[in-house]
Amino acid sequence: MRDLVKALKALSDETRLRIMNLLLERECCVCEVMQALNISQSRASRNLNALYDAGFLKLRRQGLWALYSLDEERLGGYYWHLIRAVAKALEGNETALQDRRRLKNARRAVPSCGMRRANQNTSPIRLIRHLYRLRRQGIDFKNWRALRRSTS
Amino acid sequence: MRDLVKALKALSDETRLRIMNLLLERECCVCEVMQALNISQSRASRNLNALYDAGFLKLRRQGLWALYSLDEERLGGYYWHLIRAVAKALEGNETALQDRRRLKNARRAVPSCGMRRANQNTSPIRLIRHLYRLRRQGIDFKNWRALRRSTS
DNA sequence: TTATTATATGTGCATCCTTGCATATTATAG
DNA sequence: CTATAATATGCAAGGATGCACATATAATAA
């Protein structure tokens, strides 16, 4: 009963439903979530953690990234029904679609996705060096070419 | 999205989950809910109303009673999955079982089930007159005989 | 070592939720 | 009409929640 209340509380928030929508699409890092939903970093982190805490998500760390995804192993029992309810309710929802669209354009490892500090002024050169570095590490970075183009 | 959040919020409360448990068993009046859960009248009323408001329940009035039950008509779509999640999560739960047991013994039309006023002191004679009255009205009152026994 | 960057978290504030208590409302009986 | 009984509701107190802001933590690079 306690657990069910916790799970339901975790889901009964628009921000977190939108996050679930992203994770139904694919694994995401905090950085991608904040870009796709256009919310602050602390907000993305906290809400992801709430869903994690409630038992919906699993966490995998890769370098600096915290990669969250639906925890298929725990999603038996009533969790399964809850997920289905969310998926069903969100299908065709305009916000949900838009978020997914923005997720496609979201980038990992983009300096400005960090703290939203004023006067960030990260030079393109530094960014490109960073991207090369990532590629050297064998990190899957689908669109680094486009990224390079857009910042040079 | 808004509606889903509302539905989830309505469910994410222990009192209301316990109420859903009762209504999965059968239609109940406010009075029965307060007895089965052993909670105050205003608390029962308000929480029933919250579930009603969120679209889970339908309301039927019979005399003084407000009879709430699951609204099968609205329970398509994601509502259905939510109900299944609740039912699944509650099966075997000790509190839920106990509530159902107490529901069996709950009585409609018992004077003391009202306001819990101090110095209620309703006389058995008055209660029995009330029960006869009800029977004359053709109101289905399964256990009025037992009731009469217990108060005379 | 220091600098950078993704993420996590302490704090304060505003808002909303839930409840008990008292009272209002409503239907019925007399 | 008045009284009774089931339910609804106004109100205030206490608690929970969500957020922004600033800062801390941790991994990596130089």
Side-chain angles (χ1 to χ4, degrees):
Chain A
M1 184 96 94
R2 272 270 137 78
D3 287 345
L4 176 60
V5 170
K6 193 167 186 179
L8 287 164
K9 266 199 195 336
L11 289 182
S12 55
D13 173 273
E14 179 157 339
T15 303
R16 289 192 289 272
L17 283 179
R18 290 170 69 194
I19 291 179
M20 288 298 282
N21 172 56
L22 297 184
L23 296 180
L24 281 164
E25 178 76 23
R26 66 167 171 84
E27 182 186 57
C28 295
C29 68
V30 180
C31 180
E32 288 170 316
V33 170
M34 61 181 285
Q35 290 172 77
L37 305 195
N38 191 31
I39 58 179
S40 73
Q41 183 268 328
S42 70
R43 191 171 163 188
S45 175
R46 268 188 226 276
N47 282 300
L48 276 162
N49 186 64
L51 288 168
Y52 178 86
D53 229 47
F56 289 100
L57 311 186
K58 67 172 188 274
L59 169 59
R60 176 170 77 90
R61 292 194 185 269
Q62 184 180 44
L64 279 178
W65 295 309
L67 300 167
Y68 290 91
S69 56
L70 296 183
D71 187 354
E72 312 85 7
E73 298 201 9
R74 294 206 47 179
L75 298 187
Y78 63 85
Y79 278 93
W80 171 243
H81 296 297
L82 293 180
I83 300 276
R84 296 215 36 200
V86 172
K88 179 102 184 174
L90 257 44
E91 69 192 20
N93 177 279
E94 191 42 54
T95 305
L97 290 172
Q98 193 174 343
D99 288 345
R100 285 186 185 224
R101 246 175 275 135
R102 273 187 300 215
L103 177 61
K104 287 212 174 81
N105 296 326
R107 305 162 184 166
R108 289 184 192 169
V110 173
S112 68
C113 92
M115 303 294 256
R116 281 189 181 173
R117 285 185 202 139
N119 309 321
Q120 182 88 23
N121 275 342
T122 304
S123 76
I125 293 294
R126 187 177 295 172
L127 171 56
I128 291 174
R129 263 208 299 256
H130 184 53
L131 295 180
Y132 272 114
R133 215 186 296 137
L134 290 174
R135 198 170 63 151
R136 247 180 287 121
Q137 291 170 17
I139 289 176
D140 172 37
F141 207 95
K142 285 178 260 179
N143 53 354
W144 76 271
R145 247 173 235 286
L147 242 180
R148 177 175 178 180
R149 218 179 309 120
S150 71
T151 50
S152 58
Chain B
M1 182 98 94
R2 273 270 138 80
D3 287 345
L4 176 59
V5 170
K6 193 169 185 179
L8 288 164
K9 267 200 195 334
L11 290 182
S12 55
D13 173 275
E14 178 157 338
T15 303
R16 290 192 289 272
L17 282 180
R18 290 171 69 194
I19 290 180
M20 288 298 283
N21 172 54
L22 297 183
L23 296 179
L24 281 165
E25 178 76 23
R26 65 168 172 82
E27 184 186 56
C28 295
C29 69
V30 180
C31 180
E32 288 170 315
V33 169
M34 63 181 284
Q35 289 172 78
L37 305 196
N38 192 31
I39 58 178
S40 74
Q41 182 268 328
S42 70
R43 189 172 164 188
S45 175
R46 268 187 226 275
N47 282 301
L48 276 162
N49 186 65
L51 288 169
Y52 178 87
D53 229 48
F56 288 100
L57 310 186
K58 66 172 188 273
L59 169 59
R60 178 170 78 91
R61 291 194 186 269
Q62 184 179 44
L64 280 177
W65 295 309
L67 300 167
Y68 289 91
S69 56
L70 295 183
D71 186 354
E72 312 85 5
E73 299 201 8
R74 295 206 48 178
L75 298 187
Y78 63 84
Y79 278 92
W80 172 243
H81 296 296
L82 293 180
I83 300 276
R84 296 215 37 201
V86 172
K88 179 100 184 175
L90 258 45
E91 68 191 22
N93 177 278
E94 190 43 53
T95 305
L97 290 172
Q98 193 175 343
D99 289 345
R100 284 184 184 226
R101 245 175 275 134
R102 274 187 300 214
L103 177 60
K104 286 211 175 81
N105 296 326
R107 305 162 182 163
R108 289 185 192 168
V110 174
S112 68
C113 94
M115 302 294 255
R116 281 191 179 169
R117 286 187 202 137
N119 309 322
Q120 181 89 21
N121 274 342
T122 304
S123 76
I125 294 292
R126 186 178 295 173
L127 172 54
I128 290 174
R129 265 209 297 260
H130 184 53
L131 295 180
Y132 271 114
R133 213 186 296 139
L134 289 175
R135 198 170 63 150
R136 249 180 285 121
Q137 291 171 17
I139 289 177
D140 172 37
F141 208 94
K142 288 177 260 179
N143 53 354
W144 75 272
R145 243 172 238 286
L147 242 181
R148 176 174 178 179
R149 217 179 309 121
S150 72
T151 52
S152 57

